[in-house]
């Protein structure tokens, strides 16, 4: 078994945008595959036609691309086990459902929706609040276990709508070793007889996931913890279909929790607390409702991926910043925690900040392009890169380069003159008039030369340079912010610096 080529899969249902937990599942699959020189498959589980949402598959594909976690096989790319969309594999599944019926592990159920509803109502009045089609209930329903063989044949021959259900054994313990949780056991009596094949001939998730993991030679299946309760059904199916020796090793990944640790992080928590929960913006095609994504919120994919890796995993050394190749090398599924990981948006922003600082200035300049275009600012890539380099230490997001450095691209539209006026004197006025003239003949326009000249002029006029720097800053950027003032002047260059002093003085004197 251990000699087999590692094959993992991400098997989303195309029902909407991708939650960050889903992307983390992709990531862990990807890391494991790369680490073992294995293959990573994207399989679209679209057998539930009622939940199908147009655009969701394309969104998933784009999301994987944005994150740099491209699958080796997928509906788009194809591969040796195509098709990779379950709806296109529909004819394949019935034979396995029939085999299960023939071997006594599954049965036909002819109950109509009305009969099922009547059963639920009757059970509820008896005090059973979550009635399920299980070992007790099945005995009172219309299925191939309660009806005689001739009736069943007749119903089938007439094409009576029916489903195929697994026949859960009475009182067995089903156990398996989860790569994260260790030994996990279930009592079969607590699990209902899940539908395997629906009346429309489509398999349910339970049958399709087992058949496809088998046919696609999947060796390790990593999926969210919410699937743990379904695992006894899947394990029994592997066993009943005679494939148990081929069964993948399972790892059920811990939930991503709300910031306060109380329950699973949902899309609504993001809306409520003001942060994204989806990887990218998602617009519901039915309602038009927009759910914000990390990408559009200004996250760099590398930072997003690094942050996700740390939600439930660490390498034990305290290191937090890992490149993707480093993660491939260091990741270990057995070091993933069992407990849920609390989502902390400030920490997510910290990761993004770290990556912004690491990103070459020219790349940041390219990322800032759309923002500049929106502001109708014309800049050269070199100048934008220069500005990005000056302010990136203060930024959590690419857009914040603008917030922290807009005055490099346009003159201030407001001036914080209130900070200057109360202490403004004719001597200061005279200083700045002289300073602007002096700058006109300054041959070396560097921060250092400017600072020296500024201090010298202040000394000549008997003024403290410290008291002059704030007005100078307000003239150049409009407020009390920005990098060192002489660096700002150097970056703005001679002509612009002089013009801003003139404009600034007019504002102060207005
Ligand atoms: N289609 C399931 C989902 O939407 C996949 C679960 C699994 O990976 O087995 O999450």
């Amino acid at each position: 078994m251990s000699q087999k080529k590692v094959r993992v899969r991400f098997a989303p249902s195309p029902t909407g945008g991708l939650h960050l937990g889903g992307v983390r599942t992709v990531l862990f699959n990807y890391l494991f595959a790369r680490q073992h020189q294995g293959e990573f498959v994207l399989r679209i589980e679209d057998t539930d036609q009622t939940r199908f949402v147009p655009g969701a598959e394309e969104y998933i594909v784009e999301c994987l691309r944005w994150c740099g976690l491209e699958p080796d096989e997928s509906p788009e790319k194809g591969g040796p086990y195509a098709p990779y969309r379950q709806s296109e594999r529909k004819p394949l599944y019935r034979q396995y459902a029939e085999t299960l019926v023939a071997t006594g592990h599954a049965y036909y159920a002819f109950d109509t929706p009305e009969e099922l509803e009547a059963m639920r109502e009757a059970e509820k009045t008896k005090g059973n609040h979550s009635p399920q089609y299980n070992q007790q209930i099945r005995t009172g329903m219309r299925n191939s276990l309660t009806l005689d063989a001739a009736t069943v044949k007749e119903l089938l021959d007439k094409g009576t709508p029916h489903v195929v259900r697994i026949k859960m054994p009475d009182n067995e313990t089903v156990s398996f070793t989860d790569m994260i949780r260790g030994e996990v056991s279930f009592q079969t009596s607590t699990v209902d007889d899940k539908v395997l094949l629906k009346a429309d001939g489509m398999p349910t998730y339970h049958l399709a996931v087992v058949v496809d993991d088998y046919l696609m030679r999947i060796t390790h299946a990593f999926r969210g913890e919410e699937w743990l309760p379904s695992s006894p059904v899947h394990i029994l199916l592997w066993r009943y279909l005679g494939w148990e020796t081929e069964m993948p090793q399972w790892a059920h990944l811990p939930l991503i929790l709300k910031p306060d640790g109380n329950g699973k992080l949902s899309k609504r928590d993001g809306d409520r607390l003001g942060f994204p929960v989806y990887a990218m913006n998602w617009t519901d095609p039915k309602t038009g409702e927009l759910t914000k994504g990390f990408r559009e919120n200004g996250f760099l994919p590398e930072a997003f991926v690094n942050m996700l890796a740390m939600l439930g995993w660490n390498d034990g050394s305290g290191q937090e910043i890992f490149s993707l190749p480093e993660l491939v090398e260091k990741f270990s599924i057995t070091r993933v925690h069992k407990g849920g990981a609390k989502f902390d948006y400030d920490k997510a922003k910290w990761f993004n900040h770290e990556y912004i600082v690491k990103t070459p200035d020219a790349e940041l300049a390219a990322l800032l392009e759309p923002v500049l275009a929106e502001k109708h600012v014309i800049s050269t890539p070199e100048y934008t890169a220069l500005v990005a380099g000056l302010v990136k230490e203060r930024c959590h997001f690419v857009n914040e380069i603008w917030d922290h450095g807009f005055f490099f691209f346009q003159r201030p539209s407001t001036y914080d003159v209130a900070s200057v006026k109360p202490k403004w004197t004719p001597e200061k006025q005279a200083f700045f008039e002289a300073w602007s003239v002096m700058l006109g003949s300054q041959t070396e326009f560097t921060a250092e030369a400017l600072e020296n000249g500024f201090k010298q002029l202040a000394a000549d006029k008997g003024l403290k340079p410290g008291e002059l720097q704030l007005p100078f800053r307000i003239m150049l950027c409009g407020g009390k912010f920005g990098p060192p003032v002489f660096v700002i002047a150097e970056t703005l260059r001679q002509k612009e610096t002089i013009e801003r002093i003139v404009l600034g003085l007019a504002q102060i004197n207005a």
Side-chain angles (χ1 to χ4, degrees):
M1 269 268 289
S2 55
Q3 302 307 316
K4 275 204 293 187
K5 183 161 190 112
V6 164
R7 288 180 53 82
V8 297
R9 86 298 191 278
F10 177 55
S13 298
T15 54
L18 204 50
H19 185 281
L20 70 142
V23 190
R24 191 193 53 178
T25 304
V26 176
L27 175 63
F28 288 2
N29 270 294
Y30 176 93
L31 296 177
F32 191 82
R34 290 290 165 271
Q35 192 168 65
H36 294 93
Q37 287 80 47
E39 282 142 358
F40 169 44
V41 176
L42 171 66
R43 183 174 70 224
I44 298 295
E45 301 207 327
D46 57 350
T47 58
D48 189 348
Q49 302 283 298
T50 58
R51 294 180 65 219
F52 176 81
V53 176
E57 179 183 325
E58 291 76 2
Y59 173 101
I60 291 164
V61 168
E62 194 185 334
C63 181
L64 269 52
R65 188 159 300 143
W66 176 62
C67 292
L69 306 172
E70 297 256 16
D72 303 302
E73 298 164 27
S74 70
E76 209 189 15
K77 286 200 171 147
Y81 301 93
Y84 292 92
R85 218 175 264 123
Q86 285 183 330
S87 58
E88 291 168 18
R89 302 168 66 81
K90 181 178 171 189
L92 212 83
Y93 303 104
R94 177 170 280 276
Q95 57 182 305
Y96 299 104
E98 299 291 356
T99 304
L100 290 164
V101 175
T103 53
H105 296 299
Y107 58 92
Y108 301 114
F110 300 96
D111 316 279
T112 62
E114 294 74 28
E115 285 165 343
L116 289 169
E117 192 45 42
M119 174 274 279
R120 285 190 207 106
E121 281 308 311
E123 284 300 306
K124 275 190 194 151
T125 49
K126 281 191 234 161
N128 177 0
H129 295 298
S130 51
Q132 290 188 313
Y133 205 114
N134 59 18
Q135 292 151 55
Q136 286 81 45
I137 302 285
R138 75 160 84 106
T139 57
M141 304 300 290
R142 287 201 316 128
N143 53 53
S144 57
L145 300 176
T146 59
L147 302 168
D148 59 65
T151 314
V152 172
K153 182 168 183 318
E154 195 191 320
L155 287 170
L156 291 176
D157 289 348
K158 278 201 305 201
T160 314
H162 64 276
V163 301
V164 175
R165 288 182 181 269
I166 185 169
K167 180 169 177 268
M168 284 306 278
D170 284 353
N171 229 339
E172 275 181 30
T173 306
V174 176
S175 308
F176 72 99
T177 307
D178 186 283
M179 293 172 87
I180 298 171
R181 280 147 221 280
E183 184 84 357
V184 187
S185 297
F186 293 88
Q187 270 308 110
T188 53
S189 53
T190 62
V191 185
D192 59 322
D193 289 354
K194 298 261 184 273
V195 173
L196 302 178
L197 197 73
K198 292 180 279 186
D200 63 1
M202 272 287 193
T204 58
Y205 160 65
H206 301 294
L207 180 63
V209 74
V210 170
V211 168
D212 285 343
D213 281 351
Y214 171 73
L215 294 178
M216 294 183 178
R217 303 277 181 270
I218 299 302
T219 57
H220 298 78
F222 305 151
R223 60 185 181 187
E225 185 183 308
E226 63 273 25
W227 296 108
L228 193 57
S230 302
S231 57
V233 177
H234 302 164
I235 285 167
L236 288 174
L237 289 175
W238 279 93
R239 192 181 295 167
Y240 295 158
L241 288 164
W243 301 334
E244 207 174 358
T245 55
E246 305 295 310
M247 191 168 79
Q249 276 185 267
W250 304 94
H252 289 87
L253 308 175
L255 295 177
I256 296 179
L257 304 175
K258 297 179 203 293
D260 63 9
N262 274 326
K264 187 177 166 186
L265 179 72
S266 75
K267 181 169 95 65
R268 281 171 302 282
D269 296 317
D271 297 342
R272 186 170 55 87
L273 300 167
F275 55 72
V277 168
Y278 282 1
M280 313 183 307
N281 273 5
W282 166 254
T283 306
D284 186 306
K286 270 212 205 95
T287 62
E289 186 199 353
L290 170 77
T291 306
K292 292 278 190 119
F294 279 87
R295 181 177 72 175
E296 290 76 5
N297 258 45
F299 277 80
L300 300 174
E302 299 81 3
F304 180 55
V305 163
N306 189 157
M307 179 275 288
L308 287 178
M310 305 309 288
L311 281 175
W313 174 83
N314 63 65
D315 76 342
S317 72
Q319 182 179 343
E320 291 186 287
I321 299 295
F322 294 89
S323 65
L324 194 56
E326 237 179 321
L327 285 173
V328 169
E329 188 193 317
K330 305 235 169 100
F331 177 74
S332 141
I333 193 78
T334 51
R335 282 197 60 88
V336 173
H337 310 300
K338 274 202 260 289
K342 276 191 219 166
F343 178 68
D344 176 348
Y345 189 55
D346 286 334
K347 189 74 193 194
K349 281 166 60 178
W350 175 81
F351 276 106
N352 210 45
H353 166 77
E354 293 295 306
Y355 275 83
I356 293 223
V357 172
K358 271 166 43 138
T359 303
D361 298 342
E363 273 177 46
L364 290 176
L367 293 171
L368 196 66
E369 271 307 310
V371 179
L372 296 183
E374 194 188 304
K375 309 276 181 197
H376 307 293
V377 161
I378 305 202
S379 173
T380 62
E382 294 73 26
Y383 184 73
T384 309
L386 193 63
V387 173
L390 289 176
V391 301
K392 66 182 184 179
E393 275 293 345
R394 298 157 198 256
C395 300
H396 286 99
F397 299 108
V398 170
N399 291 5
E400 288 178 359
I401 297 174
W402 172 264
D403 302 336
H404 289 290
F406 68 92
F407 48 83
F408 285 110
F409 301 104
Q410 62 189 23
R411 291 178 179 169
S413 54
T414 58
Y415 289 84
D416 179 10
V417 285
S419 312
V420 176
K421 270 195 162 172
K423 291 189 188 155
W424 196 245
T425 58
E427 289 74 22
K428 287 185 181 171
Q429 174 77 23
F431 170 87
F432 278 102
E433 281 163 8
W435 175 230
S436 67
V437 172
M438 200 174 133
L439 286 180
S441 54
Q442 185 88 14
T443 45
E444 198 195 339
F445 214 80
T446 62
E448 198 190 344
L450 293 172
E451 184 167 2
N452 289 338
F454 190 88
K455 285 185 175 158
Q456 188 57 54
L457 182 65
D460 293 348
K461 296 202 172 287
L463 294 167
K464 289 198 191 103
E467 288 181 14
L468 298 163
Q469 282 198 29
L470 177 67
F472 189 30
R473 176 178 294 283
I474 305 254
M475 290 170 202
L476 298 186
C477 25
K480 291 184 209 162
F481 37 70
V485 70
F486 299 105
V487 173
I488 300 177
E490 177 187 334
T491 310
L492 290 173
R493 290 183 282 228
Q494 193 165 31
K495 182 167 170 285
E496 182 65 15
T497 301
I498 294 168
E499 283 177 17
R500 288 198 189 188
I501 294 172
V502 174
L503 290 169
L505 281 176
Q507 291 286 330
I508 293 167
N509 292 312

